Amino acid sequence: MSTSGESKIEADPNLPIIRIVREFAGTPEQLFRAHTDPELFARWIGPSSLRTRIEEWDARSGGSWRFVSSRDGEEYAFRGCFHEVRPDRIVQTFTYEGDPDGVALETLWFEDLGNGRTRLRTQSLVDSFEARDAWLRSGMEVGVNEGHAKLEEMLADGTA
């Protein structure tokens, strides 16, 4: 388990699930806020080469979201619904609009490790092993690791 610097990404061998784990020097409240405050979220999500704008954001149980990331005139849009939003857990759907049939069910857990540290666990369930493997081949680890690194910086400088 890494404590910072890299996120652990693994595919479940028996289910079409991707699990991501990373520990942060921040409280569960800080991590929760970074995932629910649209201004903060847009600052850290995804690869460093992309800029993100929030188009819709209603971070409450039953709310929905949409953001667009762009680079060199190309745009990548994502959307979903918040099924449950509470301080220790978020359950949401996640769809890349370039593949509108590929809907994932994601659960994020914010685990208090004490001493101002939190373990973020994310689980994404997709509809097939092929879809899961395509996500893994897409370069998603770059976006996850660079995004988490930006989030760590925000926690360290007090922005999040």
Side-chain angles (χ1 to χ4, degrees):
M1 167 69 59
S2 65
T3 54
S4 58
E6 86 179 48
S7 302
K8 181 179 176 186
I9 302 171
E10 60 184 28
D12 186 299
N14 302 310
L15 298 168
I17 289 175
I18 298 170
R19 291 189 180 93
I20 303 169
V21 179
R22 186 169 180 143
E23 292 180 12
F24 290 90
T27 66
E29 294 80 14
Q30 288 174 296
L31 270 286
F32 177 79
R33 184 170 167 249
H35 282 81
T36 57
D37 180 311
E39 290 180 24
L40 294 178
F41 185 83
R43 290 182 57 191
W44 69 263
I45 192 67
S48 299
S49 62
L50 294 175
R51 296 190 49 81
T52 298
R53 74 177 181 273
I54 304 297
E55 299 216 330
E56 178 182 349
W57 200 266
D58 185 9
R60 63 175 176 83
S61 297
S64 59
W65 58 269
R66 183 174 190 266
F67 68 86
V68 179
S69 296
S70 60
R71 170 182 46 222
D72 300 328
E74 291 188 42
E75 293 192 336
Y76 310 92
F78 304 87
R79 63 182 162 83
C81 296
F82 291 106
H83 288 264
E84 181 178 39
V85 177
R86 62 183 208 210
D88 65 328
R89 180 173 100 149
I90 296 173
V91 179
Q92 64 186 11
T93 57
F94 181 95
T95 301
Y96 166 53
E97 291 184 2
D99 180 19
D101 293 335
V103 180
L105 178 62
E106 293 189 337
T107 305
L108 295 83
W109 293 271
F110 307 98
E111 298 176 16
D112 190 346
L113 300 175
N115 297 319
R117 294 195 60 80
T118 300
R119 178 179 298 122
L120 172 62
R121 290 188 307 118
T122 304
Q123 175 175 287
S124 298
L125 171 65
V126 296
D127 64 354
S128 68
F129 287 99
E130 294 78 16
R132 181 202 64 193
D133 294 344
W135 277 38
L136 293 169
R137 285 190 311 271
S138 74
M140 69 170 274
E141 74 280 354
V142 173
V144 168
N145 282 306
E146 290 184 6
H148 283 170
K150 289 186 286 185
L151 179 53
E152 274 191 352
E153 289 174 18
M154 290 171 63
L155 292 164
D157 71 16
T159 334

